[in-house]
Amino acid sequence: MTNIPPLVPEIGFNELKVVSANALDVISQVRSAMLAPEARKRPPTFNSAQLAELCGIDKSRLHYLVKKGGLPGGTQGSGNRRAWTLAETRQCVRTVKADRLRDPTLSPGATITVANFKGGVSKTTTAAALAQGLSLRGHKVLAIDTDPQGSFTTLHGVLPDTEVSEEQTILPLCSGDATSIKSAIQKTYWDGIDLVAAAPLLFNAEFILPSRQKTEKNFAFWRVLDEGLTEVRDEYDVIIIDTPPALSYITINSLIAADGVIMPLPPNALDFASSGQFWSLFTEVCNSLFESRGDAKNFSFVDVVLSRVDRADVVSTAVREWIVSAYGSKVLSIEIPKTSVAASASAEFGTVYDLDSSTVQAKTLKRARDAYDQLVDHVEMQIGGVWAHSAQVVRSMMADA
Ligand SMILES: Nc1ncnc2c1ncn2[C@@H]1O[C@H](COP(=O)(O)OP(=O)(O)OP(=O)(O)O)[C@@H](O)[C@H]1O
Ligand SMILES: [Mg+2]
């Protein structure tokens, strides 16, 4: 003990400011290098086998449809191989699977919020994979980042610290400067996904919303995002909202705006315990808010998906059983395994759908995508149910009129 030098408390805010500026600078340099050479992400391309699989037909049928002129023919590349761009691929899927698409005259888009107030449980990875996976099934997606960390924004190729202005986030909705989210929407590198970005400035919402609640008569802070989405719900088939790791004012808004909730939950004891607190706090907050206003909220689905599952870990098997006892049928049978492919995709600021077989072996990539594909299939079915419900309401209103 006597050899330990005394620690003098001399790190002040000025020094922390220098550390912070330096850290932001390094992060920005790393991100820019990752997104090089043109500092922009590029969407994947698809070969005929991948395209046929996405269309749910075999390769000979695909070639027949292309020959007949019903589908784009792609571009001839090296070795006589054809490749289809992401936009062409989505066009093919939309043509072949037209019966799976939303009828915009009957149903608005479905909104899904990915939430869990524990950090690092793979909310953002799941939200991004869902956005990309659903767009590859032909749906038009609006991705909304409500986490000031801006990871969802980064995965869409936009740098939160340097490339996002206040107007491109949900902050104007929170402050009352805008009543619709429409003006915050930007295109992304990925055909079929538009983005409402996030940046650290979004932290201000946590002060603005409670202050408006105190001063504005009839203001309902929890409905700001829900109401802000009204104008664009008809334009998108699905809206995916990524949330911060907290039950913040913004997270409550994101949950209230949702038709369905996806909660990623790794099978480990601490994550499991905190998931229980999340639901009890959320229902407590809603009860006290809604009781006084006669307001109500119903979700069409709440699905718990086991994420980052390490099958070799014995403890996770036990915790998985607790999770199933606690959440019953809300726990999906689909599990997202922990894979180095998913981890390395995120190290390059992407998801498993950003990678192509030039960087990862086709077989390994298929294995890594398999669970995400199953999750996307499941969520596609759930949003189909949300659309069907809206259509039923519209039809019965028309019948009554
Ligand atoms: N299936 C997976 N296999 C391996 N690593 C994964 C997998 N899914 C996510 N990860 C890694 O786990 C880390 C946390 O993931 P992610 O950022 O999606 O979590 P999060 O819940 O959004 O975190 P935060 O609470 O900070 O917003 C990331 O480094 C990501 O690469
Ligand atoms: Mg996140």
Side-chain angles (χ1 to χ4, degrees), residues 104-171:
T105 60
L106 290 176
S107 321
T111 305
I112 298 169
T113 293
V114 182
N116 184 337
F117 78 170
K118 192 77 196 289
V121 295
S122 88
K123 294 180 288 297
T124 304
T125 311
T126 306
L130 283 178
Q132 292 176 337
L134 289 167
S135 87
L136 286 173
R137 278 156 182 73
H139 307 299
K140 190 174 173 199
V141 179
L142 176 62
I144 305 181
D145 193 352
T146 66
D147 181 357
Q149 294 180 93
S151 306
F152 200 33
T153 302
T154 307
L155 287 184
H156 287 98
V158 178
L159 308 179
D161 304 314
T162 52
E163 293 181 350
V164 176
S165 68
E166 184 178 324
E167 290 68 34
Q168 292 171 316
T169 72
I170 62 162
L171 196 59

Side-chain angles (χ1 to χ4, degrees), residues 4-146:
I4 298 175
L7 271 180
V8 184
E10 58 188 12
I11 302 174
F13 282 122
N14 283 341
E15 190 170 343
L16 283 182
K17 272 189 203 154
V18 173
V19 172
S20 126
N22 194 35
L24 282 179
D25 189 37
V26 174
I27 292 164
S28 167
Q29 283 178 38
V30 171
R31 279 177 178 158
S32 307
M34 285 291 183
L35 300 176
E38 65 284 84
R40 279 280 159 264
K41 283 184 79 171
R42 270 176 302 175
T45 56
F46 300 82
N47 63 29
S48 58
Q50 293 166 321
L51 178 58
E53 195 184 336
L54 283 168
C55 291
I57 55 179
D58 60 29
K59 266 168 64 174
S60 54
R61 173 94 186 135
L62 175 71
H63 291 308
Y64 169 75
L65 291 173
V66 168
K67 222 174 176 177
K68 252 185 48 185
L71 298 178
T75 311
Q76 198 90 33
S78 61
N80 210 19
R81 288 186 168 207
R82 287 208 155 263
W84 282 259
T85 64
L86 176 61
E88 288 168 338
T89 300
R90 291 191 62 252
Q91 192 187 331
C92 291
V93 175
R94 287 183 70 81
T95 307
V96 177
K97 289 189 160 178
D99 58 331
R100 295 265 200 113
L101 302 179
R102 174 178 69 104
D103 179 347
T105 60
L106 290 176
S107 321
T111 305
I112 298 169
T113 293
V114 182
N116 184 337
F117 78 170
K118 192 77 196 289
V121 295
S122 88
K123 294 180 288 297
T124 304
T125 311
T126 306
L130 283 178
Q132 292 176 337
L134 289 167
S135 87
L136 286 173
R137 278 156 182 73
H139 307 299
K140 190 174 173 199
V141 179
L142 176 62
I144 305 181
D145 193 352
T146 66

Side-chain angles (χ1 to χ4, degrees), residues 268-295:
N268 99 39
L270 291 179
D271 291 335
F272 168 63
S274 100
S275 72
Q277 294 157 14
F278 177 75
W279 289 115
S280 68
L281 268 174
F282 177 61
T283 45
E284 249 172 58
V285 171
C286 288
N287 269 341
S288 63
L289 294 174
F290 290 178
E291 256 174 11
S292 58
R293 294 278 184 106
D295 204 347

